Amino acid sequence: MKVCWALLALLSATHGFVPSSTHNKPSVPSPLVLNVNVATNFILQEFERGEFFFPNAMSSDENNGREKAPRLSRPQRKALERAQKQQKQQKVQQKKKNAKHFKLHSQAVSSLTSQSTADDVLRAIKRAQNLHDAEDLQTIEKFLLEEVDETFAFGYRGSLLSRLAVAALHMNNHELARTAIDVRRVECRASMAPMESAAIIRGLLRVHNVTDALEVLADELSLPLEGTPLSDSANQERLKWRALALSSMASRHFFQGEPSLSVLACEKLAELGPMVRESGLTAKELDMPWSRLILGASQCESGRREGTKQEETIEVDLPCNLVYSVLNAMSTFPSDNSDEVYERVSNALVRRVVFLTGAIDMKGCPAADRGEAAFIGRSNVGKSSLINMVTNRKSLAYTSKRPGKTQQFNFFAVNDKPGREKEVKYGDVMPGSMDPDSFLITDLPGFGFAKVPEKQRKQWADFMSQYLAERNNLRVVFHLIDSRHGPTDEDKKIMNQVSENLPARVNYVVVLTKADKNIKGAPGKVSKDVMQSLRTAMNENGVGKRPVILSSSNTKLGRDDLWRYLRLAAEA
């Protein structure tokens, strides 16, 4: 009964009434009436001991044989809620009072305690990094390692440790960074995010710690387990950030003049590309920095030609031009056919180009002192436009509305020595030598529409057969066919000549031009009928297993594929 009187006294004090049923009851001790807080605490204690009940309103529970109190009235519940809230606030205040404080220099976040949020810690890390406050950074590390565990901020501790490691690397505090990385790897492995691992790798590369960067790459951004679906979101995320981390490695080493390490990173990218394609990731989702990689490779290649590159301990077979290593990796990834990227590719791979000579027989051909790539096809197939697209020149090969304008074998020198055009035009002798990636491009005369006598047409055919068989420096032949119409009789004759005369060392590639005009509303696709007729013609003329490339000089489709084969001529 004493609990009932305590509650009634509490209600009298808070609501200003005393029920008439209490007139003849024993008086409640005055402290409970006068002091609401004392009464409230008393009620809570009685509740915890199970002694709060109403004698005249008890009910029997037939299922378990226990007696339970009836539902409290609204004033009673409100009084109880206020009492519970007050007790909870007192516990929180006491916990804050007893918590250990990690003092910081920041005014926004003056200290860190176990009650701090992840945002508080992140703001403190950013401030310490921006102001190079090494003392605060050590205090934050001590807080994350000693005061909180992996459950801090709903499992966000691992992310905070990765951000702390990046800030420490930015300030060249390698010991602190190593500790944060190791603790994160051991205690927070389940919550490690690929994006955070990629950020740590970039930070390690910034301080030239390649060994640890490769270790983090192999441990935290390893390839997905064999047999797991690559289209899984977790695997896609891992592949994406592994690719971006490798691109960071390649880019940094290119700009630092270290080609061997850059080429190794590009080789890893080339191995990763097919898996990325299979996972379904798009070029937009990846957002690979190809343009920056090409710029870095171009600058590094320039230093290599001038002899200013750094000495390296790693021995790697370097390409004749470092841009080819980027192009090789780029061709394995999903492409968005960016004009900016391929303009840089063309400008880096074709730094100089000059017309050397025209020939109507083997005697008129220039010296076979470098690799050579030939373009052949019927008139009006877009041969000159394709050559201009590949070299990123507007009028290198002359384009005409009148088919059959090319009347001879035209030879162009790519990356020859500076001033080579003066030697060709005026006979001057210029000092220097051609670049290691120099090669020749040959524009063969078109067949079909060319208005020439039959005798000259016969001479062209004989010359081409002899050229294909005896030109020792020839490395690749591009046979251009109009994708709107498929192979003609002239194209079939060329295929037959290639089959009979072209040596095995020379690559033969079929290029379907004007692919943007083939199917309305579906640029870059070829109709099934055209592909079927092409494969039939290739099989009948002995070139059935040779590659086929789609191209368009308008949309610049096929540039990367063409350069993969032009590289064979540059490296000859």
Side-chain angles (χ1 to χ4, degrees):
M1 292 294 292
K2 60 181 179 180
V3 180
C4 296
W5 294 122
L7 179 60
L8 291 174
L10 175 62
L11 293 176
S12 300
T14 55
H15 295 278
F17 72 94
V18 178
S20 57
S21 59
T22 63
H23 291 176
N24 299 323
K25 304 296 181 179
S27 60
V28 180
S30 58
L32 293 178
V33 177
L34 300 177
N35 193 329
V36 176
N37 289 335
V38 175
T40 299
N41 292 332
F42 180 75
I43 292 173
L44 287 175
Q45 293 173 6
E46 296 299 323
F47 257 105
E48 292 176 358
R49 290 198 296 265
E51 297 182 5
F52 189 66
F53 62 93
F54 292 85
N56 299 327
M58 301 299 292
S59 63
S60 175
D61 191 341
E62 298 179 356
N63 295 328
N64 52 25
R66 293 183 304 176
E67 294 183 344
K68 61 180 182 180
R71 181 180 178 84
L72 298 179
S73 65
R74 187 175 184 279
Q76 292 170 340
R77 291 199 307 272
K78 290 298 181 180
L80 184 60
E81 287 173 5
R82 285 192 295 272
Q84 291 175 335
K85 183 177 179 181
Q86 182 182 13
Q87 191 176 46
K88 185 176 180 181
Q89 290 177 347
Q90 290 175 352
K91 288 182 179 179
V92 171
Q93 291 175 358
Q94 187 64 30
K95 191 173 182 181
K96 286 184 178 180
K97 186 176 180 181
N98 297 335
K100 187 177 180 181
H101 289 256
F102 292 80
K103 298 292 184 180
L104 300 175
H105 298 149
S106 171
Q107 293 182 353
V109 184
S110 59
S111 65
L112 295 175
T113 68
S114 58
Q115 304 302 312
S116 298
T117 64
D119 187 57
D120 293 335
V121 181
L122 189 60
R123 289 167 60 194
I125 293 174
K126 288 182 178 179
R127 178 202 167 275
Q129 177 180 335
N130 293 336
L131 299 181
H132 287 263
D133 192 336
E135 185 177 344
D136 268 11
L137 208 63
Q138 290 178 347
T139 302
I140 297 169
E141 181 196 33
K142 191 175 181 180
F143 167 75
L144 289 174
L145 298 184
E146 298 179 4
E147 182 65 16
V148 298
D149 57 15
E150 63 274 6
T151 61
F152 173 69
F154 304 99
Y156 200 66
R157 179 175 177 242
S159 298
L160 295 173
L161 285 171
S162 66
R163 186 65 183 84
L164 179 68
V166 172
L169 290 169
H170 184 78
M171 297 170 59
N172 289 321
N173 192 333
H174 301 278
E175 183 179 354
L176 192 153
R178 165 52 62 189
T179 303
I181 292 172
D182 290 342
V183 172
R184 170 179 174 269
R185 184 179 299 171
V186 174
E187 299 182 6
C188 308
R189 178 170 287 274
S191 62
M192 289 193 308
M195 178 177 64
E196 299 163 2
S197 301
I200 291 174
I201 290 173
R202 289 194 300 270
L204 290 169
L205 292 173
R206 192 179 295 114
V207 296
H208 310 284
N209 192 343
V210 181
T211 303
D212 285 349
L214 290 173
E215 181 183 342
V216 173
L217 179 74
D219 180 56
E220 301 181 17
L221 291 178
S222 58
L223 294 173
L225 295 175
E226 187 175 353
T228 58
L230 297 179
S231 57
D232 181 73
S233 59
N235 284 339
Q236 284 184 334
E237 193 76 2
R238 180 181 291 267
L239 290 172
K240 172 184 175 179
W241 290 106
R242 179 179 173 86
L244 291 173
L246 286 170
S247 65
S248 297
M249 286 186 178
S251 174
R252 182 156 292 274
H253 291 306
F254 274 138
F255 282 106
Q256 289 175 350
E258 300 169 348
S260 296
L261 292 170
S262 302
V263 170
L264 281 176
C266 288
E267 289 176 354
K268 289 182 179 293
L269 278 173
E271 296 172 359
L272 185 66
M275 299 182 70
V276 172
R277 283 182 181 270
E278 186 180 346
S279 71
L281 287 169
T282 64
K284 185 176 181 180
E285 290 171 332
L286 287 168
D287 195 22
M288 293 290 288
W290 297 121
S291 185
R292 178 173 174 79
L293 281 172
I294 294 166
L295 178 62
S298 179
Q299 290 186 11
C300 189
E301 176 63 28
S302 178
R304 188 164 71 123
R305 288 195 301 269
E306 296 171 2
T308 58
K309 76 176 186 69
Q310 298 181 12
E311 293 294 330
E312 297 181 283
T313 57
I314 301 177
E315 293 186 5
V316 179
D317 292 332
L318 301 178
C320 61
N321 190 320
L322 296 174
V323 177
Y324 282 117
S325 62
V326 180
L327 182 64
N328 186 43
M330 191 166 61
S331 63
T332 66
F333 276 74
S335 172
D336 57 357
N337 199 30
S338 168
D339 285 339
E340 178 190 359
V341 170
Y342 284 101
E343 273 197 23
R344 287 198 170 179
V345 169
S346 297
N347 292 336
L349 297 178
V350 183
R351 297 175 297 281
R352 299 178 301 277
V353 59
V354 60
F355 172 75
L356 285 182
T357 185
I360 58 174
D361 54 29
M362 291 297 292
K363 293 181 180 179
C365 295
D369 56 354
R370 69 200 84 177
E372 190 168 321
F375 289 81
I376 188 172
R378 63 193 293 268
S379 301
N380 200 36
V381 76
K383 186 155 40 64
S384 298
S385 298
L386 190 69
I387 293 175
N388 291 334
M389 179 192 78
V390 168
T391 58
N392 199 31
R393 303 296 191 275
K394 292 184 178 180
S395 57
L396 176 63
Y398 186 75
T399 58
S400 173
K401 294 182 179 179
R402 180 168 66 88
K405 185 68 177 177
T406 304
Q407 300 282 309
Q408 60 184 359
F409 284 40
N410 293 323
F411 292 86
F412 302 89
V414 178
N415 300 332
D416 208 328
K417 63 181 179 180
R420 177 70 164 131
E421 64 275 6
K422 294 182 180 179
E423 290 187 346
V424 174
K425 289 182 179 180
Y426 312 115
D428 298 345
V429 178
M430 302 300 297
S433 60
M434 61 183 178
D435 292 342
D437 60 340
S438 179
F439 64 97
L440 298 176
I441 290 179
T442 309
D443 183 8
L444 276 65
F447 297 91
F449 290 131
K451 296 180 179 180
V452 294
E454 187 63 31
K455 181 179 179 181
Q456 185 173 352
R457 194 186 300 273
K458 179 68 167 57
Q459 288 178 343
W460 282 352
D462 293 341
F463 180 22
M464 191 178 76
S465 296
Q466 187 179 9
Y467 171 82
L468 294 175
E470 299 179 7
R471 189 67 171 168
N472 295 329
N473 62 326
L474 188 61
R475 290 296 178 268
V476 58
V477 173
F478 295 103
H479 181 187
L480 279 59
I481 297 175
D482 195 326
S483 66
R484 299 171 297 179
H485 311 299
T488 63
D489 291 339
E490 294 292 339
D491 291 317
K492 295 175 183 178
K493 290 180 181 178
I494 294 175
M495 291 179 186
N496 189 49
Q497 279 185 298
V498 167
S499 177
E500 293 178 352
N501 300 292
L502 196 67
R505 71 173 185 279
V506 183
N507 289 267
Y508 171 73
V509 182
V510 174
V511 181
L512 292 176
T513 62
K514 305 179 183 180
D516 60 313
K517 302 176 182 178
N518 189 33
I519 300 178
K520 187 175 182 180
K525 293 185 178 181
V526 177
S527 67
K528 293 182 179 180
D529 293 340
V530 170
M531 286 301 299
Q532 183 62 38
S533 63
L534 174 63
R535 285 301 181 186
T536 300
M538 293 176 68
N539 289 328
E540 290 176 351
N541 291 278
V543 290
K545 295 183 179 180
R546 303 303 178 96
V548 178
I549 294 175
L550 299 182
S551 74
S552 168
S553 57
N554 290 332
T555 64
K556 308 300 188 286
L557 178 68
R559 291 173 292 190
D560 53 341
D561 294 319
L562 289 168
W563 267 112
R564 283 194 296 121
Y565 289 99
L566 286 171
R567 177 181 179 177
L568 301 174
E571 293 183 333

